[in-house]
Amino acid sequence: MNRTLQIVFLGLALSLAGAPGAAFADDATHIQLSIKGHRFDPAEPTAPAGKPLVIEVTNADPTPAEFESKALRVEKVVAGGGAITVRVRPLTPGRYRFFDDYHEATTVGFLVVQ
Amino acid sequence: MLGALIIVFREVIEAGIIVGIVMAVTRGVPGSRLMAGAGVLAGLVGASLVAAFAGALADALGGVGQEMFNAAILALAVCMLAWHNIWMASHGRELAAEARKLGQDVRSGARSLTALAIVVAVAVMREGSEVALFLYGLVASGGTTSNDLLLGSALGLVAGAGVSAVTYFGLVTIPARSLFSTTSALITLLASGLAAQSVNFLQQAGVVSIWSQTAWDTSAILSDTSLLGRVLHTLVGYSDQPSVLQVVVYFVTLATILALSRAFAPRPATRRPEASAAHPN
């Protein structure tokens, strides 16, 4: 019985871990963000509503950052001098706050969806 | 200094709670201290590796390496917790009740310990890698303030260990009779919360796109970045802006663990001779 259980859970773990890679929607709107001196540039990018988004975050600082947004449900480390891409679901109009989790006091921005 | 303390403490709080729960659950089991220690150590090594290769990990799998990695290790933790709980439901109760010393059960118990050691390692690795990156940032930026910040970070780590201690001592004051059901419930909720987190990373990676709309927004009432929010986030999987899929996965995991625990649990206390003969173990 234990054996069976183990196999079932191992199988579950593996099937979850090996889920197929992301299919990239080509109609996505791309947004470029950079972090420099612990500031986002632009601090208030705009995006169209109802379309999937791809946000590219470049970290020009030598220190790591964690690009995070509760509303966008994003949490991703950006190495110092590195860059990341995050995919965001189609959004309804509004202001969506994002920040660097390591420097939340200064590194804050809003995604303005219209 | 206070800022660094808070950031590090916030990161280690989840691992701290999980380590505390696991230690309380395995209290008295031979070799459990060693297992917990090995789990923490493996987690620290893993955390350093993840931090060192953060850039490479982010670029892997077409840019979603970080998300897929997080989703996979969280899923692994969920499976280990679920397996432990179901195993305990089928054996633990009789073990605790009769305190039998059976070679077979001790060996199975050790296997269950391994599962929990993996959970500890995963928790420490996830949180630890973020702390490592933050600390690396402090060291890399240098300057006169960095010693002060490092001191704050060290205090944050100590505070995280304090959370482990509070969780552990809080749990072990519960009478042995109800400790079993309390920790089973805690682990079930913990696993469900981790499953919801795992799904969040799959959604973030774009692998799963259904039910991505926000189920509710209670960030104004209780933000899950606040201290209480963080604790509840770990303990019961509280999230202030979950997606519909996260909520669904949370309850499906909860129901699955409960159902399997029940299915594998031995018949209740009315012991009949033929029942014990049918399951000689």
Side-chain angles (χ1 to χ4, degrees):
Chain A
M1 183 175 76
N2 282 325
R3 183 109 276 182
T4 327
L5 260 182
Q6 266 180 308
I7 291 167
V8 165
F9 281 110
L10 199 65
L12 257 176
L14 288 177
S15 61
L16 275 171
F24 303 128
D26 275 323
D27 60 334
T29 305
H30 287 247
I31 297 163
Q32 315 266 352
L33 283 179
S34 71
I35 303 173
K36 190 159 192 196
H38 302 305
R39 306 268 173 195
F40 281 111
D41 179 36
E44 296 207 359
T46 54
K51 290 187 77 176
L53 307 173
V54 173
I55 305 178
E56 288 153 26
V57 186
T58 310
N59 185 2
D61 289 333
T63 55
E66 187 178 37
F67 181 67
E68 185 166 341
S69 170
K70 306 297 294 303
L72 302 175
R73 275 197 294 280
V74 169
E75 193 180 347
K76 191 163 181 175
V77 169
V78 202
I84 55 149
T85 312
V86 294
R87 264 155 283 276
V88 176
R89 67 192 187 280
L91 298 168
T92 52
R95 283 164 63 82
Y96 297 82
R97 184 173 180 272
F98 56 84
F99 55 94
D100 167 11
D101 197 27
Y102 299 149
H103 303 91
E104 198 178 343
T106 55
T107 328
V108 184
F110 288 91
L111 177 66
V112 182
V113 177
Q114 297 160 335
Chain B
M1 190 185 88
L2 192 64
L5 192 159
I6 290 169
I7 288 173
V8 171
F9 179 61
R10 217 170 48 185
E11 296 295 344
V12 297
I13 200 167
E14 182 167 327
I17 291 173
I18 291 177
V19 170
I21 292 177
V22 165
M23 291 191 53
V25 167
T26 59
R27 188 174 67 132
V29 179
S32 60
R33 289 289 172 277
L34 199 69
M35 275 298 184
V40 171
L41 205 66
L44 288 176
V45 172
S48 316
L49 288 174
V50 169
F53 297 105
L57 189 59
D59 294 336
L61 301 178
V64 295
Q66 225 180 86
E67 289 90 340
M68 295 309 290
F69 178 75
N70 277 321
I73 62 168
L74 281 169
L76 177 69
V78 171
C79 292
M80 292 295 129
L81 287 170
W83 180 69
H84 168 81
N85 238 24
I86 295 161
W87 186 87
M88 284 299 279
S90 62
H91 292 80
R93 208 180 287 273
E94 62 201 64
L95 267 185
E98 303 172 20
R100 288 183 304 176
K101 288 180 186 159
L102 297 179
Q104 176 64 35
D105 281 338
V106 170
R107 255 191 293 133
S108 314
R111 252 189 277 139
S112 181
L113 274 187
T114 314
L116 288 180
I118 290 173
V119 172
V120 167
V122 163
V124 172
M125 178 167 77
R126 257 174 53 72
E127 312 279 313
S129 63
E130 298 202 355
V131 174
L133 281 168
F134 175 68
L135 293 180
Y136 168 76
L138 291 185
V139 174
S141 59
T144 47
T145 55
S146 90
N147 278 339
D148 200 29
L149 292 174
L150 284 174
L151 177 66
S153 307
L155 291 176
L157 281 175
V158 171
V163 169
S164 285
V166 167
T167 310
Y168 175 79
F169 287 112
L171 283 174
V172 298
T173 53
I174 297 172
R177 264 174 58 84
S178 29
L179 181 64
F180 176 80
S181 41
T182 309
T183 53
S184 294
L186 271 180
I187 285 187
T188 306
L189 293 171
L190 182 69
S192 306
L194 293 179
Q197 280 190 51
S198 176
V199 159
N200 182 36
F201 282 110
L202 291 181
Q203 290 189 312
Q204 195 180 315
V207 174
V208 181
S209 53
I210 52 159
W211 294 340
S212 61
Q213 61 274 37
T214 304
W216 64 71
D217 184 353
T218 47
S219 54
I221 302 164
L222 177 60
S223 162
D224 60 20
T225 50
S226 68
L227 184 61
L228 180 63
R230 282 258 163 177
V231 171
L232 288 178
H233 178 68
T234 305
L235 282 182
V236 299
Y238 173 74
S239 177
D240 60 16
Q241 292 174 32
S243 68
V244 172
L245 184 64
Q246 278 186 285
V247 178
V248 170
V249 165
Y250 180 91
F251 286 107
V252 166
T253 309
L254 192 72
T256 306
I257 296 177
L258 287 178
L260 286 177
S261 299
R262 185 156 297 187
F264 283 103
R267 296 275 156 78
T270 51
R271 292 168 64 98
R272 292 190 194 127
E274 77 263 22
S276 52
H279 303 283
N281 259 343

